[in-house]
Each structure stands twice: as structure tokens, then as C-alpha cells.
Amino acid sequence: ALASYEKYLMKVDYRVTIQKGDEAKKKKKSNITNPYIYLYAYYMKSKTLAGSSNFFFFFFLQQIGIQSSYNELGKLIEEKNWDKPYKFSIQDLIKKFKKEYNVDIENRKNVKKVERFEFIKALNIPLYMVSLKTDIGNEWLYYLVNGNTGKTLYERKF
């Protein structure tokens, strides 16, 4: 059996983490200036892609886009669209915050976290929760946004 290891690579703002085990090798790519993370898994034996996933924001990883899984021959066996429940996309949310609040939520210095969820059955709509930093140390601005229409449902300072 091969020994497992983890390797870290850095180049300016880019970061790559490589984890290698007996069955698979995983590669995580990110950039310290934006909130996107890309994960890839490879079969060790065939060196083919086993799967890929994309994430938005590091604090609470939110899967976005298409998650794909492949067999050892490289044939696509499964796809899941994490954006499907949201008619108002992540890109729409980014534009909304730039236009309405003059905040770039892709800049990690402005944001505590961005989450999205569709598990509150009473509301029966997908939601975004955006937490923004303020000029006051431990104070945050929280926004709850409808994931279908983009309408701000709730805004509060804590």
C-alpha cells in the first residue's frame, strides 16, 4: 500500500493542495483574493478524473455549479446541478450587492460568509444569507435574499 501524503503549492495568490492516498489523489485549487474553490479527484490506478466539484466561499463551503462523477474509464456516470433550485444565481447575487449595496461579495475582505439553502420548508423558497463586515469591529450586516427573485427579505445589523 502507498503511504498517504499531502502537498501544498503556492504561487502569488494561488493555492493548490494535493492529497494522495491508496485509491485516489485529490487536488484543491483556490485563490486567496476570491471565494472560489475547485476540487478534483483522480483514480490512482488509471490516473483518470474520478470527479469534480466547485465551491463558493471558504468559511462555509457552498457547492455551486455542476458536480460530476466518472468511472475509471473516464465515462461520466453522474451529474448534480447544485444551482438548479436557485433561479437567482450566484452571479446575480454578486451583481445585486455591487449595485444595491456597493459591496463586492467576491472580495473576501468585505464578507464574513455567504450561504445558501433551501431546507426551510415553511418558506418553500431557496435562500441566500450574506454576512458583511462593517467598520465596527464585531458588528456585521446580515441579508436574507430570496433565491428565486433576488428580493432582499431581511436586513439586520448585529
Side-chain angles (χ1 to χ4, degrees):
L2 295 171
S4 295
Y5 74 84
E6 193 164 281
K7 190 188 304 187
Y8 302 95
L9 308 167
M10 292 185 282
K11 187 174 183 180
V12 189
D13 294 337
Y14 293 93
R15 305 291 182 260
V16 176
T17 304
I18 299 171
Q19 295 175 318
K20 187 174 179 182
D22 292 342
E23 301 291 321
K25 178 169 88 173
K26 296 177 184 173
K27 182 168 35 171
K28 178 173 91 173
K29 295 173 146 183
S30 62
N31 184 311
I32 61 169
T33 62
N34 70 48
Y36 300 97
I37 296 171
Y38 305 95
L39 293 178
Y40 305 93
Y42 299 89
Y43 293 106
M44 287 300 293
K45 197 179 237 179
S46 63
K47 308 238 187 291
T48 57
L49 185 65
S52 64
S53 299
N54 303 321
F55 295 85
F56 186 78
F57 252 83
F58 189 71
F59 300 100
F60 292 93
L61 290 179
Q62 302 292 304
Q63 279 199 276
I64 61 172
I66 306 289
Q67 177 182 348
S68 303
S69 299
Y70 302 88
N71 67 16
E72 283 198 67
L73 299 173
K75 182 180 178 194
L76 180 67
I77 54 175
E78 185 180 3
E79 278 188 330
K80 177 169 178 151
N81 184 350
W82 289 94
D83 298 334
K84 191 174 182 178
Y86 299 86
K87 292 181 180 97
F88 194 77
S89 71
I90 291 278
Q91 291 305 312
D92 294 333
L93 188 71
I94 291 164
K95 289 175 192 168
K96 172 188 177 68
F97 273 80
K98 280 181 184 173
K99 182 180 177 185
E100 294 180 24
Y101 305 108
N102 197 30
V103 176
D104 179 4
I105 64 171
E106 287 183 297
N107 184 334
R108 299 175 90 170
K109 292 177 183 172
N110 298 326
V111 181
K112 179 180 178 185
K113 65 182 173 182
V114 175
E115 297 177 82
R116 67 181 191 179
F117 43 90
E118 64 263 0
F119 57 81
I120 301 175
K121 298 296 179 200
L123 295 176
N124 202 29
I125 55 171
L127 300 166
Y128 291 99
M129 173 69 85
V130 179
S131 306
L132 301 178
K133 296 177 183 179
T134 67
D135 294 334
I136 300 170
N138 288 332
E139 186 175 87
W140 302 96
L141 286 169
Y142 291 90
Y143 298 88
L144 189 64
V145 177
N146 183 315
N148 286 331
T149 66
K151 180 180 180 199
T152 301
L153 303 174
Y154 183 76
E155 187 176 327
R156 182 147 186 211
K157 196 179 283 189
F158 284 98

